[in-house]
Amino acid sequence: MEISEYAKEAVVLLKNMICIPSFSREEGKVADWLQRYIELQGYTANRLGNNVWLMSPGFDPSRRTLLLNSHIDTVKPVEGWTHDPFRPTPEGTKLYGLGSNDAGASVVSLLQVFFILSARPQSYNLIFAASAEEEVSGANGIESLLKELPAIDFAIVGEPTEMQVAVAEKGLMVLDCTAFGKSGHAAHGTGDNALYKAMDAIDWFRHYEFPLQTEFLGPVRMTVTQINAGTQHNVIPDKCNFVVDVRSNEMYSNVELLELIQGFVDCRVTARSTRLSSTATPLDHPVVRRAQAMGRELYGSPTLSDQALMPFPSVKMGPGKSARSHTANEYIRIPEIEEAIEVYIELLDGLAL
């Protein structure tokens, strides 16, 4: 088939996916459907929970292995939809539907790319994996699946990047912070106001810059996003809780940042998790070099993806636009799918990985 025919098939698949609600941790029905579709194409579909994957025919453990990955879960529809989120609705070149942009278009494009590349001689093995729980960074998504897969040497992670190449991605760490004081009567000015202690710490989070910055990801970004203190107007609070969103660059691990922060602020600081690390792929990697030769833009992504859980080099690259994700009337432009398949094939066909 011509690439245009694969693209038409991908659009049909995407329309089917949109019709099946697949919220994070509830992806079973769309995983069932995808598994059946793959098996109808003559391949063996493997399953772990709500993750579905397949390997290229003649898989040879002595060769290097390329992973094509994207996620089948979606967020829940936000307020403001004027289309039915679960009814694929074409208007001109746009196809509306929940998950169309993030990341259904990447799923169906990468699956067709897997079929095309598997039918041609390659120097590497291919694995396609449609994973679950990406939107919640769940433990039963790509993290669990990687334990079942053969060793991976490189991954293309399908996310809406307008087919530009994210060679670095910021990590995420959420901090729960508590400043302690001593209660007293507000009228007498007794006690030790925990709110004021928290304000000092919040001021540090607002203004401090870690010294190590990078070309693609810039500085570590820390943002206080929630605060709670006090029981009533005339009681000085003895405790103030606040939450900090930390977006790390590749110069610091989350564990390192946590230890440094704990040494700077006068409050208790605990991380909900340190597992969502920043990633960066060397610019001399063959995939990156070929992408540059093709005129693809290299950039650093501020948003999180399953890259954070991959202990091997990867890039984030897919059809669609990040700004459309998680919005009312989410859509993909149908020509973006054909372009994606063409660009992926140009990037990967005949590659010396």
Side-chain angles (χ1 to χ4, degrees), residues 121-141:
Q122 305 296 340
S123 64
Y124 53 83
N125 301 307
L126 266 174
I127 297 176
F128 168 83
S131 50
E133 299 191 9
E134 188 275 343
E135 295 289 2
V136 294
S137 300
N140 295 315

Side-chain angles (χ1 to χ4, degrees), residues 210-221:
F210 286 95
L212 300 181
Q213 304 186 17
T214 64
E215 175 187 359
F216 288 108
L217 296 181
V220 174
R221 183 178 297 276

Side-chain angles (χ1 to χ4, degrees), residues 173-181 194-195 197-206 222-229 238-246 257-258 260-272:
M173 180 170 58
V174 179
L175 303 178
D176 290 303
C177 304
T178 305
F180 295 96
L195 256 172
K197 287 189 172 182
M199 287 169 61
D200 289 338
I202 289 170
D203 187 67
W204 180 86
F205 279 112
R206 182 181 181 185
M222 301 185 291
T223 308
V224 178
T225 55
Q226 294 174 280
I227 187 169
N228 181 62
D238 63 353
K239 184 168 65 173
C240 178
N241 300 308
F242 61 97
V243 176
V244 186
D245 178 291
V246 180
L257 285 175
L258 178 60
L260 289 169
I261 291 167
Q262 288 171 332
F264 276 117
V265 295
D266 183 20
C267 59
R268 184 179 67 196
V269 179
T270 58
R272 296 182 187 179

